[in-house]
Amino acid sequence: MNWAQILFNSAVTGSLYLISAVALTLVYGLAKFPNFAHAEIMSLGGFIGFWVTEQLGAPLPVAFAAAFLVAGIVGYLSYRGIFKPLTDRGASLIHLMVASMALGFILRHTIGEIWGFSPLTLSIVWPAYDIGPLRVTLNWIILIITAVAVGIGLHFMLTRTRIGKAIRATASNPRLALSSGINTTRVLVITWFVSAGLAGVAGLFRGVETRLSPYLGWDILLPTFAVAMLGGIGSFYGAMAAALIIGLAENVGVVLLAEAGLSTEYRMAIPFIILIAVLIFRPQGLAKAFKGN
């Protein structure tokens, strides 16, 4: 068994979950509800990347920038047009959740009407390298580097910048933050934009790995929620640690399933088995191990 390859594959899987989960948990930390439209925003990012590279002929870095920008704008518009008005009128948690499901449904079918519901594939061919016992591809390396950059960048933003400190203050106590002179609406706008933008980037990475379909985001939404809950929903640092744990568990689990003669399709159940086991003994997830987020 090539454990070096398994660990590397775990880092790749964990990196994808890290980008999508920190985006999800940033919004939850402030808005206090799970945004189910996160899945379709990921899908949108993937299709925007496809449009930029395959139909406009632009290079891939431009596609990632476009995926971030367009998804971020959709996140901003959804906050301004749907979730802020609902919150101002005293909408409950269930109202916000249902609204996010409705938004996701609309986005999914809009994507389908524009690009179709049949799977699409990016024509990019990635070079592969043999490094000792490892077989790696350039897109995997870029994904890991991007995830590390996202983690370091968000840590720097949350701890060293005024907007980051305002985000933490608003997440901790919105009324106190507002009375202290923090523009909480501006904080929420920026958070929604950044979160949705990162979701778009995660969706494009997923599209590069597999194939694009309007259900692309839905396929990774459930593991993303598992990561967010395992880390302690709303906890940025907890989500980072949980992404690596879930990534490792999935890849080791696939090997163990194959050796046991079982279908590897069970891999999607692995995050939830871990989640249930951890939450039975530690309902708060890993959040308390990562204070200060």
Side-chain angles (χ1 to χ4, degrees), residues 114-186:
I114 296 173
W115 285 284
F117 286 90
S118 299
L120 300 174
T121 304
L122 287 158
S123 61
I124 301 169
V125 178
W126 296 95
Y129 309 98
D130 290 317
I131 305 174
L134 294 178
R135 180 76 170 174
V136 304
T137 60
L138 182 58
N139 58 315
W140 290 352
I141 296 171
I142 293 173
L143 172 56
I144 292 174
I145 292 173
T146 303
V148 171
V150 167
I152 293 174
L154 287 177
H155 170 75
F156 180 83
M157 184 186 78
L158 291 172
T159 57
R160 302 294 177 83
T161 66
R162 291 185 63 183
I163 185 61
K165 293 174 182 176
I167 289 173
R168 293 168 62 192
T170 305
S172 176
N173 191 326
R175 292 185 178 178
L176 181 60
L178 185 61
S179 64
S180 301
I182 294 174
N183 186 338
T184 54
T185 298
R186 178 170 171 265

Side-chain angles (χ1 to χ4, degrees), residues 222-223 225-227 229-230 242 245-246 249-250 252-254 256-257 262-282:
L222 297 182
F225 266 113
V227 167
M229 293 179 70
L230 178 61
I245 293 172
I246 294 291
E250 268 197 35
V252 173
V254 167
L256 296 179
L257 286 168
L262 299 174
S263 170
T264 56
E265 291 297 320
Y266 283 114
R267 68 177 297 173
M268 295 301 293
I270 293 173
F272 298 98
I273 294 172
I274 296 173
L275 177 65
I276 292 169
V278 170
L279 294 184
I280 287 174
F281 299 101
R282 194 178 176 84

